[in-house]
Coordinates of all heavy atoms in Angstrom, one line a residue:
M1 N -43.0 -2.6 -29.0 CA -42.4 -3.9 -29.1 C -41.7 -4.2 -27.9 O -40.9 -3.5 -27.4 CB -41.5 -3.9 -30.4 CG -41.0 -5.3 -30.6 SD -40.1 -5.5 -32.2 CE -38.7 -4.5 -31.9
E2 N -42.0 -5.4 -27.3 CA -41.4 -5.8 -26.1 C -40.8 -7.2 -26.3 O -41.5 -8.1 -26.8 CB -42.4 -5.8 -25.0 CG -41.9 -6.1 -23.6 CD -42.9 -5.9 -22.5 OE1 -43.6 -4.9 -22.5 OE2 -43.1 -6.8 -21.8
N3 N -39.5 -7.4 -26.0 CA -38.8 -8.7 -26.1 C -38.9 -9.2 -27.5 O -39.0 -10.4 -27.7 CB -39.4 -9.7 -25.1 CG -39.2 -9.2 -23.7 OD1 -38.2 -8.6 -23.3 ND2 -40.1 -9.5 -22.8
G4 N -38.8 -8.4 -28.5 CA -38.9 -8.8 -29.9 C -40.2 -9.3 -30.4 O -40.3 -10.0 -31.4
K5 N -41.3 -9.0 -29.6 CA -42.6 -9.5 -30.0 C -43.5 -8.3 -30.1 O -43.3 -7.3 -29.5 CB -43.2 -10.5 -29.0 CG -42.4 -11.7 -28.9 CD -43.1 -12.8 -28.2 CE -42.2 -14.1 -28.3 NZ -43.0 -15.2 -27.8
S6 N -44.5 -8.4 -31.0 CA -45.4 -7.3 -31.2 C -46.8 -7.9 -31.5 O -47.0 -9.1 -31.5 CB -44.9 -6.5 -32.5 OG -45.8 -5.4 -32.7
K7 N -47.8 -7.0 -31.7 CA -49.1 -7.4 -32.2 C -49.3 -7.0 -33.6 O -48.8 -5.9 -34.0 CB -50.2 -6.8 -31.3 CG -50.1 -7.3 -29.8 CD -51.2 -6.6 -29.0 CE -51.2 -7.2 -27.6 NZ -52.3 -6.7 -26.8
I8 N -50.0 -7.7 -34.4 CA -50.3 -7.4 -35.7 C -51.8 -7.3 -35.9 O -52.5 -8.3 -35.5 CB -49.7 -8.4 -36.7 CG1 -48.1 -8.3 -36.6 CG2 -50.1 -8.1 -38.2 CD1 -47.4 -9.3 -37.5
L9 N -52.3 -6.2 -36.5 CA -53.7 -6.1 -36.8 C -54.0 -6.5 -38.2 O -53.4 -6.1 -39.1 CB -54.1 -4.6 -36.6 CG -55.6 -4.2 -36.8 CD1 -56.5 -4.9 -35.8 CD2 -55.8 -2.7 -36.7
L10 N -55.0 -7.4 -38.3 CA -55.4 -7.9 -39.6 C -56.7 -7.4 -40.0 O -57.7 -7.3 -39.2 CB -55.5 -9.5 -39.6 CG -54.3 -10.2 -39.1 CD1 -54.6 -11.7 -38.9 CD2 -53.1 -10.1 -40.1
L11 N -56.9 -6.9 -41.3 CA -58.1 -6.3 -41.7 C -58.5 -7.0 -43.1 O -57.7 -7.1 -43.9 CB -57.9 -4.8 -42.1 CG -57.4 -3.9 -41.0 CD1 -57.2 -2.5 -41.6 CD2 -58.4 -3.8 -39.9
R12 N -59.7 -7.4 -43.2 CA -60.3 -7.8 -44.5 C -60.9 -6.5 -45.0 O -61.8 -5.9 -44.4 CB -61.3 -8.9 -44.3 CG -61.8 -9.4 -45.7 CD -62.8 -10.6 -45.5 NE -63.9 -10.3 -44.8 CZ -64.3 -10.9 -43.6 NH1 -63.5 -11.8 -43.1 NH2 -65.4 -10.5 -43.0
T13 N -60.5 -6.1 -46.2 CA -61.0 -4.8 -46.8 C -62.0 -5.0 -47.9 O -62.1 -6.1 -48.5 CB -59.9 -4.0 -47.3 OG1 -59.2 -4.7 -48.3 CG2 -58.9 -3.7 -46.2
G14 N -62.9 -4.0 -48.1 CA -63.8 -4.0 -49.2 C -65.2 -4.3 -48.8 O -65.5 -5.2 -48.0
E15 N -66.1 -3.6 -49.4 CA -67.6 -3.7 -49.1 C -68.1 -5.1 -49.6 O -68.8 -5.8 -49.0 CB -68.3 -2.6 -49.8 CG -69.8 -2.6 -49.5 CD -70.5 -1.4 -50.0 OE1 -69.9 -0.5 -50.7 OE2 -71.8 -1.3 -49.8
S16 N -67.6 -5.5 -50.8 CA -68.1 -6.7 -51.4 C -67.6 -8.0 -50.6 O -68.3 -9.0 -50.6 CB -67.6 -6.9 -52.8 OG -66.2 -6.9 -52.9
R17 N -66.5 -7.8 -49.8 CA -66.0 -8.9 -49.0 C -66.5 -8.8 -47.6 O -66.0 -9.5 -46.7 CB -64.5 -8.9 -49.1 CG -64.0 -9.2 -50.5 CD -62.5 -9.1 -50.6 NE -61.9 -10.1 -49.8 CZ -60.6 -10.0 -49.4 NH1 -59.9 -9.0 -49.8 NH2 -60.1 -10.9 -48.6
Q18 N -67.4 -7.9 -47.3 CA -67.9 -7.6 -46.0 C -66.8 -7.4 -45.0 O -66.7 -8.0 -44.0 CB -68.8 -8.7 -45.5 CG -70.1 -8.8 -46.3 CD -71.0 -9.9 -45.7 OE1 -70.7 -10.7 -44.8 NE2 -72.3 -9.9 -46.2
G19 N -65.9 -6.4 -45.3 CA -64.8 -6.1 -44.5 C -64.8 -4.7 -43.9 O -65.8 -4.3 -43.4
V20 N -63.7 -4.0 -44.1 CA -63.5 -2.7 -43.5 C -63.5 -1.7 -44.7 O -62.8 -2.0 -45.7 CB -62.2 -2.6 -42.7 CG1 -62.0 -1.2 -42.2 CG2 -62.2 -3.6 -41.6
V21 N -64.2 -0.6 -44.6 CA -64.2 0.4 -45.7 C -63.9 1.7 -45.2 O -64.1 2.0 -44.0 CB -65.6 0.4 -46.4 CG1 -65.9 -0.9 -47.1 CG2 -66.7 0.8 -45.4
G22 N -63.3 2.6 -46.0 CA -62.9 3.9 -45.6 C -64.0 4.9 -45.9 O -64.8 4.8 -46.8
L23 N -64.2 5.8 -44.9 CA -65.2 6.9 -45.1 C -64.5 8.2 -45.1 O -63.7 8.5 -44.2 CB -66.2 6.9 -43.9 CG -66.9 5.5 -43.6 CD1 -67.6 5.6 -42.3 CD2 -67.8 5.2 -44.7
Y24 N -64.8 9.0 -46.1 CA -64.0 10.3 -46.3 C -65.0 11.5 -46.1 O -66.1 11.4 -46.5 CB -63.4 10.3 -47.7 CG -62.4 9.2 -47.8 CD1 -62.7 8.1 -48.5 CD2 -61.1 9.4 -47.3 CE1 -61.8 7.0 -48.7 CE2 -60.2 8.3 -47.5 CZ -60.5 7.2 -48.1 OH -59.6 6.2 -48.3
Q25 N -64.5 12.5 -45.5 CA -65.3 13.8 -45.3 C -65.3 14.6 -46.6 O -64.3 15.0 -47.1 CB -64.6 14.6 -44.2 CG -65.2 15.9 -44.0 CD -66.6 15.8 -43.3 OE1 -66.8 15.0 -42.4 NE2 -67.5 16.6 -43.8
P26 N -66.5 14.8 -47.2 CA -66.6 15.6 -48.4 C -66.6 17.1 -48.1 O -67.0 17.5 -47.0 CB -67.9 15.1 -49.1 CG -68.7 14.7 -47.9 CD -67.8 14.2 -46.8
G27 N -66.3 17.9 -49.1 CA -66.5 19.3 -49.0 C -65.5 20.0 -48.1 O -65.8 21.1 -47.5
L28 N -64.3 19.5 -47.9 CA -63.3 20.2 -47.1 C -62.7 21.4 -47.8 O -62.6 21.5 -49.0 CB -62.1 19.2 -46.8 CG -62.4 18.0 -46.0 CD1 -61.3 17.0 -46.1 CD2 -62.8 18.3 -44.6
P29 N -62.4 22.5 -47.0 CA -61.7 23.6 -47.6 C -60.3 23.2 -48.2 O -59.6 22.4 -47.6 CB -61.4 24.6 -46.4 CG -62.3 24.1 -45.3 CD -62.6 22.6 -45.6
G30 N -60.1 23.5 -49.4 CA -58.8 23.2 -50.1 C -58.8 21.7 -50.5 O -57.7 21.1 -50.7
E31 N -59.9 21.1 -50.7 CA -60.0 19.7 -51.0 C -59.4 19.4 -52.3 O -59.7 20.0 -53.4 CB -61.5 19.2 -51.0 CG -61.6 17.7 -51.2 CD -63.1 17.3 -51.0 OE1 -63.9 17.8 -51.8 OE2 -63.4 16.6 -50.1
Q32 N -58.5 18.4 -52.4 CA -57.8 17.9 -53.6 C -58.4 16.6 -54.1 O -58.5 16.4 -55.3 CB -56.3 17.8 -53.4 CG -55.6 19.0 -53.0 CD -55.7 20.1 -54.0 OE1 -55.4 19.9 -55.1 NE2 -56.2 21.3 -53.6
S33 N -58.9 15.8 -53.2 CA -59.5 14.5 -53.5 C -60.3 14.2 -52.3 O -60.2 14.9 -51.2 CB -58.5 13.4 -53.9 OG -57.7 13.1 -52.8
P34 N -61.2 13.2 -52.3 CA -62.1 12.9 -51.1 C -61.3 12.8 -49.8 O -60.4 11.9 -49.7 CB -62.8 11.6 -51.5 CG -62.8 11.6 -53.0 CD -61.5 12.3 -53.4
G35 N -61.5 13.7 -48.9 CA -60.9 13.6 -47.6 C -59.5 14.2 -47.5 O -58.9 14.3 -46.4
L36 N -58.9 14.6 -48.7 CA -57.6 15.2 -48.7 C -57.6 16.7 -48.9 O -58.1 17.2 -49.9 CB -56.8 14.6 -49.8 CG -55.3 15.1 -49.9 CD1 -54.5 14.7 -48.7 CD2 -54.7 14.5 -51.2
S37 N -57.1 17.4 -47.9 CA -57.1 18.9 -47.9 C -55.7 19.4 -47.9 O -54.8 18.9 -47.2 CB -57.8 19.4 -46.6 OG -57.7 20.8 -46.5
V38 N -55.4 20.4 -48.7 CA -54.1 21.0 -48.8 C -54.3 22.5 -48.6 O -55.1 23.1 -49.4 CB -53.4 20.8 -50.2 CG1 -52.1 21.5 -50.2 CG2 -53.3 19.3 -50.4
R39 N -53.6 23.1 -47.6 CA -53.8 24.5 -47.3 C -52.4 25.2 -47.4 O -51.4 24.7 -46.8 CB -54.3 24.7 -45.9 CG -55.8 24.5 -45.8 CD -56.4 24.9 -44.5 NE -55.5 25.4 -43.5 CZ -55.7 25.2 -42.2 NH1 -56.8 24.7 -41.8 NH2 -54.8 25.6 -41.3
F40 N -52.3 26.3 -48.1 CA -51.1 27.1 -48.1 C -50.9 27.8 -46.8 O -51.8 28.4 -46.3 CB -51.2 28.1 -49.3 CG -50.0 29.0 -49.4 CD1 -48.8 28.6 -49.8 CD2 -50.2 30.4 -49.0 CE1 -47.7 29.4 -49.9 CE2 -49.1 31.2 -49.1 CZ -47.9 30.8 -49.5
M41 N -49.7 27.6 -46.2 CA -49.4 28.2 -44.9 C -48.5 29.4 -45.0 O -48.4 30.2 -44.0 CB -48.7 27.1 -44.0 CG -49.5 25.9 -43.8 SD -51.2 26.2 -43.1 CE -50.7 26.6 -41.4
G42 N -47.9 29.7 -46.1 CA -47.0 30.9 -46.2 C -45.7 30.6 -46.8 O -45.3 29.4 -47.1
I43 N -44.9 31.7 -47.0 CA -43.6 31.6 -47.5 C -42.6 32.2 -46.5 O -42.9 33.3 -46.0 CB -43.5 32.3 -48.9 CG1 -44.4 31.7 -49.9 CG2 -42.0 32.3 -49.4 CD1 -44.5 32.4 -51.2
N44 N -41.5 31.5 -46.2 CA -40.6 32.0 -45.2 C -39.6 33.0 -45.9 O -39.6 33.2 -47.1 CB -39.9 30.9 -44.4 CG -38.9 30.1 -45.2 OD1 -38.6 30.4 -46.4 ND2 -38.5 28.9 -44.7
H45 N -38.6 33.5 -45.1 CA -37.6 34.4 -45.6 C -36.6 33.8 -46.6 O -35.9 34.5 -47.2 CB -36.9 35.1 -44.4 CG -36.0 34.2 -43.6 ND1 -36.6 33.3 -42.7 CD2 -34.7 33.9 -43.7 CE1 -35.6 32.6 -42.1 NE2 -34.4 33.0 -42.7
Q46 N -36.6 32.5 -46.7 CA -35.7 31.8 -47.7 C -36.5 31.4 -48.9 O -36.1 30.6 -49.7 CB -35.1 30.6 -47.0 CG -34.2 30.9 -45.9 CD -33.7 29.6 -45.1 OE1 -34.5 28.7 -45.1 NE2 -32.5 29.7 -44.6
A47 N -37.7 31.9 -49.1 CA -38.6 31.7 -50.2 C -39.1 30.2 -50.3 O -39.3 29.7 -51.4 CB -38.0 32.1 -51.5
I48 N -39.2 29.6 -49.1 CA -39.7 28.2 -49.1 C -41.2 28.2 -48.7 O -41.5 28.8 -47.7 CB -38.9 27.4 -48.1 CG1 -37.4 27.3 -48.5 CG2 -39.5 26.0 -47.9 CD1 -36.5 26.6 -47.6
A49 N -42.0 27.7 -49.6 CA -43.4 27.6 -49.3 C -43.8 26.5 -48.4 O -43.2 25.4 -48.5 CB -44.2 27.5 -50.6
S50 N -44.7 26.7 -47.5 CA -45.2 25.6 -46.6 C -46.7 25.3 -46.8 O -47.4 26.3 -47.1 CB -45.0 26.1 -45.1 OG -43.7 26.2 -44.8
Y51 N -47.0 24.1 -46.8 CA -48.4 23.6 -47.0 C -48.7 22.7 -45.9 O -47.9 21.9 -45.4 CB -48.6 22.9 -48.3 CG -48.4 23.8 -49.5 CD1 -47.1 24.0 -50.1 CD2 -49.5 24.4 -50.1 CE1 -47.0 24.8 -51.2 CE2 -49.3 25.3 -51.2 CZ -48.1 25.5 -51.7 OH -47.9 26.3 -52.8
L52 N -50.0 22.7 -45.4 CA -50.5 21.8 -44.5 C -51.3 20.7 -45.3 O -52.3 21.1 -45.9 CB -51.4 22.5 -43.4 CG -52.1 21.6 -42.4 CD1 -51.0 20.8 -41.6 CD2 -53.0 22.3 -41.6
V53 N -50.9 19.5 -45.2 CA -51.6 18.4 -45.9 C -52.3 17.5 -44.9 O -51.7 17.0 -44.0 CB -50.7 17.6 -46.8 CG1 -51.4 16.4 -47.5 CG2 -49.9 18.5 -47.8
S54 N -53.6 17.4 -45.0 CA -54.4 16.7 -44.0 C -55.3 15.6 -44.7 O -55.9 15.9 -45.7 CB -55.3 17.6 -43.2 OG -54.6 18.6 -42.5
L55 N -55.4 14.5 -44.1 CA -56.3 13.4 -44.6 C -57.3 13.1 -43.6 O -56.9 12.7 -42.5 CB -55.5 12.2 -45.0 CG -56.4 11.0 -45.5 CD1 -57.1 11.4 -46.8 CD2 -55.5 9.8 -45.8
Y56 N -58.5 13.3 -43.9 CA -59.6 13.0 -42.9 C -60.3 11.7 -43.4 O -60.9 11.7 -44.4 CB -60.6 14.2 -42.9 CG -60.0 15.5 -42.5 CD1 -59.5 16.4 -43.4 CD2 -60.0 15.8 -41.1 CE1 -58.9 17.6 -43.0 CE2 -59.4 17.0 -40.7 CZ -58.9 17.9 -41.6 OH -58.3 19.1 -41.2
C57 N -60.1 10.7 -42.6 CA -60.6 9.4 -43.0 C -61.1 8.6 -41.7 O -60.4 8.7 -40.7 CB -59.6 8.6 -43.7 SG -60.1 7.0 -44.2
S58 N -62.2 7.9 -41.8 CA -62.6 7.1 -40.7 C -62.8 5.7 -41.4 O -62.9 5.5 -42.6 CB -64.0 7.5 -40.2 OG -63.8 8.8 -39.6
L59 N -62.9 4.7 -40.5 CA -63.2 3.3 -41.0 C -64.5 2.8 -40.5 O -64.9 3.1 -39.4 CB -62.1 2.4 -40.5 CG -60.7 2.6 -41.0 CD1 -59.7 1.6 -40.4 CD2 -60.6 2.5 -42.5
A60 N -65.2 2.0 -41.3 CA -66.4 1.4 -40.9 C -66.1 -0.1 -41.0 O -65.7 -0.6 -42.0 CB -67.6 1.8 -41.7
V61 N -66.3 -0.8 -39.9 CA -66.2 -2.3 -39.9 C -67.6 -2.9 -40.1 O -68.5 -2.7 -39.3 CB -65.6 -2.8 -38.5 CG1 -65.5 -4.3 -38.5 CG2 -64.3 -2.1 -38.2
L62 N -67.7 -3.6 -41.3 CA -69.1 -4.1 -41.7 C -69.5 -5.3 -40.9 O -70.7 -5.5 -40.7 CB -69.1 -4.3 -43.2 CG -68.7 -3.1 -44.0 CD1 -68.8 -3.4 -45.5 CD2 -69.7 -1.9 -43.7
V63 N -68.6 -6.2 -40.5 CA -68.9 -7.4 -39.7 C -67.8 -7.6 -38.7 O -66.7 -7.2 -39.0 CB -69.2 -8.6 -40.6 CG1 -70.4 -8.5 -41.5 CG2 -68.0 -9.0 -41.5
D64 N -68.1 -8.3 -37.6 CA -67.2 -8.5 -36.5 C -65.9 -9.2 -37.0 O -64.8 -8.9 -36.5 CB -67.8 -9.2 -35.4 CG -68.9 -8.4 -34.6 OD1 -68.9 -7.2 -34.8 OD2 -69.7 -9.0 -33.9
D65 N -66.0 -10.2 -37.8 CA -64.9 -11.0 -38.2 C -64.0 -10.4 -39.3 O -63.1 -11.0 -39.8 CB -65.3 -12.5 -38.5 CG -66.0 -12.6 -39.9 OD1 -66.4 -11.5 -40.5 OD2 -66.3 -13.7 -40.3
A66 N -64.2 -9.1 -39.6 CA -63.4 -8.4 -40.5 C -62.1 -7.9 -39.9 O -61.2 -7.5 -40.6 CB -64.1 -7.3 -41.2
L67 N -62.0 -8.0 -38.6 CA -60.8 -7.6 -37.8 C -60.3 -8.7 -37.0 O -61.1 -9.5 -36.5 CB -61.1 -6.5 -36.9 CG -61.6 -5.1 -37.4 CD1 -62.0 -4.2 -36.3 CD2 -60.6 -4.5 -38.3
A68 N -59.0 -8.8 -36.8 CA -58.4 -9.8 -36.0 C -57.0 -9.2 -35.5 O -56.4 -8.4 -36.1 CB -58.1 -11.1 -36.7
V69 N -56.5 -9.8 -34.3 CA -55.3 -9.3 -33.8 C -54.4 -10.6 -33.6 O -54.9 -11.6 -33.0 CB -55.4 -8.6 -32.5 CG1 -54.1 -8.2 -31.9 CG2 -56.2 -7.3 -32.7
L70 N -53.2 -10.6 -34.1 CA -52.2 -11.6 -33.8 C -51.4 -11.2 -32.6 O -50.7 -10.1 -32.7 CB -51.4 -11.9 -35.0 CG -52.0 -12.5 -36.2 CD1 -51.0 -12.7 -37.3 CD2 -52.7 -13.8 -35.9
D71 N -51.4 -11.9 -31.5 CA -50.6 -11.5 -30.3 C -49.3 -12.2 -30.3 O -49.1 -13.3 -30.8 CB -51.4 -11.9 -29.0 CG -52.6 -11.0 -28.8 OD1 -52.4 -9.8 -29.0 OD2 -53.6 -11.5 -28.3
D72 N -48.3 -11.6 -29.7 CA -47.0 -12.2 -29.4 C -46.3 -12.7 -30.7 O -45.8 -13.8 -30.7 CB -47.1 -13.3 -28.4 CG -47.5 -12.7 -27.0 OD1 -47.1 -11.6 -26.7 OD2 -48.2 -13.4 -26.3
V73 N -46.3 -11.9 -31.8 CA -45.7 -12.3 -33.0 C -44.2 -11.9 -32.9 O -43.8 -10.8 -32.6 CB -46.3 -11.5 -34.2 CG1 -45.6 -11.8 -35.5 CG2 -47.8 -11.8 -34.3
A74 N -43.3 -12.9 -33.1 CA -41.9 -12.7 -33.1 C -41.5 -11.9 -34.3 O -41.6 -12.3 -35.4 CB -41.1 -14.0 -33.0
V75 N -41.0 -10.7 -34.1 CA -40.6 -9.8 -35.2 C -39.1 -9.6 -35.2 O -38.5 -8.8 -36.0 CB -41.3 -8.4 -35.2 CG1 -42.8 -8.7 -35.5 CG2 -41.1 -7.7 -33.9
D76 N -38.4 -10.1 -34.2 CA -36.9 -10.0 -34.1 C -36.1 -11.0 -34.9 O -34.9 -10.9 -35.1 CB -36.4 -9.9 -32.7 CG -36.8 -11.2 -31.9 OD1 -37.6 -12.0 -32.4 OD2 -36.2 -11.4 -30.8
R77 N -36.8 -12.0 -35.4 CA -36.2 -13.1 -36.2 C -37.0 -13.2 -37.5 O -38.2 -13.2 -37.4 CB -36.2 -14.4 -35.4 CG -35.2 -14.4 -34.3 CD -35.2 -15.7 -33.5 NE -36.4 -15.7 -32.7 CZ -37.1 -16.7 -32.3 NH1 -36.8 -17.9 -32.8 NH2 -38.2 -16.6 -31.5
Y78 N -36.3 -13.4 -38.6 CA -37.0 -13.5 -39.8 C -36.1 -14.3 -40.8 O -34.9 -14.5 -40.5 CB -37.3 -12.2 -40.5 CG -36.1 -11.3 -40.8 CD1 -35.6 -11.4 -42.1 CD2 -35.5 -10.5 -39.9 CE1 -34.4 -10.7 -42.4 CE2 -34.4 -9.8 -40.2 CZ -33.9 -9.8 -41.5 OH -32.8 -9.1 -41.8
H79 N -36.7 -14.8 -41.9 CA -36.0 -15.5 -42.9 C -36.0 -14.7 -44.2 O -37.1 -14.2 -44.6 CB -36.7 -16.9 -43.1 CG -36.0 -17.7 -44.2 ND1 -34.8 -18.3 -44.0 CD2 -36.4 -17.9 -45.5 CE1 -34.5 -18.9 -45.2 NE2 -35.4 -18.6 -46.1
E80 N -34.9 -14.5 -44.8 CA -34.8 -13.8 -46.0 C -35.0 -14.8 -47.2 O -34.2 -15.7 -47.4 CB -33.5 -13.1 -46.2 CG -33.4 -12.2 -47.4 CD -32.1 -11.4 -47.5 OE1 -31.5 -11.3 -46.4 OE2 -31.8 -11.0 -48.6
Y81 N -36.1 -14.6 -47.9 CA -36.4 -15.5 -49.0 C -35.7 -15.0 -50.3 O -35.8 -13.8 -50.6 CB -37.9 -15.5 -49.3 CG -38.7 -16.2 -48.2 CD1 -39.2 -15.5 -47.1 CD2 -38.8 -17.6 -48.1 CE1 -39.9 -16.1 -46.1 CE2 -39.5 -18.2 -47.1 CZ -40.0 -17.5 -46.1 OH -40.7 -18.1 -45.1
K82 N -35.1 -15.8 -51.0 CA -34.4 -15.4 -52.2 C -34.9 -16.3 -53.4 O -35.1 -17.5 -53.2 CB -32.9 -15.6 -52.1 CG -32.3 -14.6 -51.1 CD -30.8 -14.8 -51.0 CE -30.3 -13.8 -49.9 NZ -28.8 -13.9 -49.9
W83 N -35.0 -15.7 -54.5 CA -35.4 -16.4 -55.7 C -34.2 -17.2 -56.2 O -33.0 -16.8 -56.1 CB -35.8 -15.5 -56.8 CG -37.1 -14.8 -56.6 CD1 -37.3 -13.5 -56.1 CD2 -38.4 -15.4 -56.7 NE1 -38.6 -13.3 -56.0 CE2 -39.3 -14.4 -56.3 CE3 -38.9 -16.6 -57.1 CZ2 -40.7 -14.6 -56.3 CZ3 -40.3 -16.8 -57.1 CH2 -41.2 -15.8 -56.7
P84 N -34.4 -18.5 -56.7 CA -33.3 -19.3 -57.2 C -32.6 -18.5 -58.4 O -33.3 -17.9 -59.2 CB -33.9 -20.6 -57.6 CG -35.3 -20.5 -57.2 CD -35.7 -19.2 -56.8
S85 N -31.3 -18.6 -58.5 CA -30.6 -17.9 -59.5 C -30.5 -18.8 -60.8 O -30.5 -20.0 -60.8 CB -29.2 -17.6 -59.1 OG -29.2 -16.8 -58.0

């Protein structure tokens, strides 16, 4: 972020909307769900167990207009919206 401005990436998601979809690696060692692997790393001298949690995921962009970038978005100023009491 430079001078209170940033870039924001916009994604349209979903296959039915011709957007961006996630691709997961099947068959991982220690797989808990598609693309999610959990491996036991050991127990330290304080009896604390350690695990390595990894998510393997790629994205596929189905059409060019499923992605956009907003440049120079002011993120240092904002308005706090409140519901009427």
Side-chain angles (χ1 to χ4, degrees):
M1 183 171 66
E2 190 173 307
N3 298 326
K5 295 193 176 191
S6 185
K7 294 182 180 187
I8 296 178
L9 180 62
L10 304 171
L11 305 172
R12 183 176 61 241
T13 59
E15 186 176 359
S16 63
R17 297 175 60 199
Q18 294 186 347
V20 178
V21 295
L23 305 172
Y24 299 98
Q25 175 70 41
L28 297 169
E31 184 174 64
Q32 300 299 308
S33 65
L36 180 65
S37 172
V38 179
R39 286 191 349 212
F40 176 69
M41 300 303 288
I43 299 175
N44 70 10
H45 66 280
Q46 296 172 328
I48 297 174
S50 296
Y51 293 87
L52 176 64
V53 179
S54 303
L55 178 63
Y56 298 90
C57 179
S58 298
L59 295 178
V61 180
L62 301 180
V63 294
D64 290 343
D65 69 354
L67 298 174
V69 177
L70 296 177
D71 287 323
D72 297 325
V73 177
V75 292
D76 59 344
R77 290 178 281 150
Y78 64 93
H79 177 76
E80 185 176 341
Y81 293 94
K82 294 183 180 183
W83 290 102
S85 298

